[in-house]
């Protein structure tokens, strides 16, 4: 009796596994994916089709299933990377969210989610270039939430890595973000090197304001941090504040000498700019 019940239950689940009611009219819809085009036969409407967004490096697609009101598309590529897009219907076709995964062989959770973004935009409003992906995630970073961008980071070194890989991420470090960064990662001897590295890469990626903010904090708390003066001077020079730049170049040179460091490592442009 129990066996029969289980078989009936499994049969019911199987039968319901691809039941769609995308327009929520209590009439079953049929979803077909062929050559990158989704065709939906509504139960009480004419059929409608739309082309799936292309994701660079993820070329193979298939339909997954989450619930009757959404279509989940699985994207896979030649490598171990894969991603999902969830689509729903509300008088138009919308992309609800995008998830991007890179299986981590050393992690307990083999399906390591690199990036996720709730979008809720009509498909026709999404620029395909926004979905450009490399082995680390979405290149454009348009899919990063600009609000509370630091929330997903627990490791300051990961921020530095992402800033190194994705220069556009530096644009998200506005005054509020930088302030939140300093609160979340309180400057200490332990993380001094990494904070300095974050400031440096922010400068390299064009965000001098955020870099200066962090570097000023560093030299205030650690006035003997030689390289911070060089980085700070470079940032001031790049925004045209040459007097402040020269002042910090001079401090940098003075510390290099007093700390008996190798003066051959001093960039040639430092002397030229001081003159």
């Amino acid at each position: 009796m129990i066996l029969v019940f289980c078989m009936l239950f499994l049969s019911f689940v199987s039968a319901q596994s691809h039941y769609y009611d995308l327009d929520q009219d209590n009439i079953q819809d049929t979803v077909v994916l062929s050559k990158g085009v989704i065709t939906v036969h509504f139960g009480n409407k004419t059929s409608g089709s739309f082309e799936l967004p292309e994701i660079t490096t993820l070329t193979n697609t298939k339909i997954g299933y989450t619930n009757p009101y959404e279509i989940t598309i699985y994207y896979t590529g030649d490598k171990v990377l894969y991603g999902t897009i969830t689509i729903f219907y509300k008088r138009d076709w919308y992309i609800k969210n995008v998830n991007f995964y890179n299986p981590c062989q050393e992690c307990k959770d083999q399906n390591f989610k690199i990036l996720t973004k709730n979008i809720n935009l009509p498909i026709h409003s999404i620029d395909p270039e926004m979905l450009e992906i490399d082995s680390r995630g979405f290149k454009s970073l348009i899919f990063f939430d600009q609000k509370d961008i630091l929330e997903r980071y627990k490791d300051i070194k990961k921020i530095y890595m992402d800033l190194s890989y994705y220069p556009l991420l530096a644009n998200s470090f506005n005054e509020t973000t930088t302030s939140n960064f300093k609160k979340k990662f309180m400057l200490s001897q332990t993380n001094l090197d990494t904070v300095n590295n974050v400031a440096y890469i922010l400068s390299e990626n064009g965000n001098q304001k955020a870099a200066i903010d962090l570097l000023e904090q560093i030299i205030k708390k650690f006035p003997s941090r030689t390289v911070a003066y060089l980085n700070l001077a470079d940032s001031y020079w790049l925004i045209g504040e040459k007097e402040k730049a020269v002042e910090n170049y001079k401090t940098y040179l003075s510390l290099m000498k007093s700390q008996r460091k190798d003066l051959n490592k001093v960039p040639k442009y430092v002397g030229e700019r001081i003159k």
Side-chain angles (χ1 to χ4, degrees):
M1 185 69 179
I2 295 176
L3 178 60
V4 172
F5 174 79
C6 290
M7 292 178 65
L8 288 172
F9 175 77
L10 289 172
S11 176
F12 174 78
V13 171
S14 176
Q16 295 296 309
S17 62
H18 285 82
Y19 173 85
Y20 290 100
D21 183 13
L22 297 163
D23 50 358
Q24 300 188 39
D25 62 354
N26 297 317
I27 301 176
Q28 183 171 351
D29 306 322
T30 303
V31 179
V32 178
L33 169 62
S34 178
K35 297 181 180 180
V37 175
I38 290 282
T39 301
V40 177
H41 303 280
F42 289 104
N44 63 345
K45 301 178 185 177
T46 56
S47 300
S49 299
F50 61 87
E51 189 172 357
L52 286 175
E54 293 183 4
I55 299 184
T56 308
T57 75
L58 302 181
T59 55
N60 303 313
T61 55
K62 67 178 181 179
I63 295 178
Y65 189 83
T66 50
N67 65 59
Y69 312 119
E70 298 174 349
I71 304 172
T72 299
I73 306 299
Y74 287 86
Y75 288 78
T76 57
D78 296 334
K79 300 180 181 179
V80 293
L81 308 172
Y82 68 98
T84 65
I85 287 183
T86 304
I87 298 166
F88 67 95
Y89 179 80
K90 192 175 182 181
R91 298 182 182 177
D92 197 354
W93 293 105
Y94 285 75
I95 289 185
K96 179 180 179 181
N97 56 47
V98 174
N99 296 294
F100 180 68
Y101 301 85
N102 186 0
C104 174
Q105 302 301 322
E106 299 175 358
C107 302
K108 291 182 179 179
D109 180 4
Q110 295 293 308
N111 296 325
F112 180 68
K113 186 182 294 185
I114 294 179
L115 191 59
T116 185
K117 176 71 172 88
N118 293 324
I119 302 171
N120 295 319
L121 287 175
I123 289 176
H124 60 74
S125 299
I126 295 178
D127 184 348
E129 291 184 3
M130 294 168 63
L131 292 171
E132 188 177 3
I133 289 179
D134 65 10
S135 61
R136 300 183 184 95
F138 292 93
K139 283 184 178 179
S140 71
L141 286 184
I142 294 173
F143 286 118
F144 273 103
D145 289 314
Q146 300 303 305
K147 184 179 179 182
D148 299 327
I149 193 169
L150 298 175
E151 185 177 347
R152 69 189 188 91
Y153 289 102
K154 295 181 181 179
D155 184 358
I156 189 174
K157 292 182 180 179
K158 182 65 168 63
I159 297 178
Y160 171 69
M161 289 175 61
D162 278 1
L163 284 166
S164 300
Y165 292 138
Y166 309 114
L168 288 176
L169 181 56
N171 296 339
S172 299
F173 274 72
N174 54 31
E175 188 174 341
T176 300
T177 306
T178 307
S179 176
N180 290 339
F181 175 89
K182 291 192 291 186
K183 291 175 182 176
K184 183 169 185 175
F185 303 102
M186 298 290 290
L187 182 62
S188 66
Q189 189 68 53
T190 304
N191 65 15
L192 175 58
D193 286 349
T194 309
V195 173
N196 202 142
N197 289 340
V198 169
Y200 169 77
I201 203 67
L202 282 169
S203 175
E204 286 288 293
N205 293 340
N207 193 336
Q208 308 307 328
K209 186 174 182 179
I212 289 170
D213 194 338
L214 294 179
L215 290 164
E216 291 280 13
Q217 180 196 32
I218 288 173
I219 63 175
K220 183 177 181 179
K221 190 167 184 178
F222 298 96
S224 62
R225 176 75 178 180
T226 309
V227 70
Y229 290 94
L230 174 61
N231 298 150
L232 183 59
D234 287 345
S235 289
Y236 274 128
W237 187 272
L238 287 169
I239 62 174
E241 294 196 30
K242 296 189 177 181
E243 289 186 8
K244 290 184 177 180
V246 169
E247 179 184 343
N248 282 284
Y249 281 134
K250 288 180 177 179
T251 304
Y252 162 69
L253 271 178
S254 176
L255 286 171
M256 287 291 287
K257 293 174 181 177
S258 66
Q259 295 175 6
R260 298 182 179 181
K261 294 190 175 182
D262 185 359
L263 296 181
N264 291 322
K265 293 183 178 180
V266 175
K268 291 183 179 180
Y269 65 79
V270 172
E272 296 171 357
R273 291 177 180 181
I274 288 178
K275 293 178 182 180

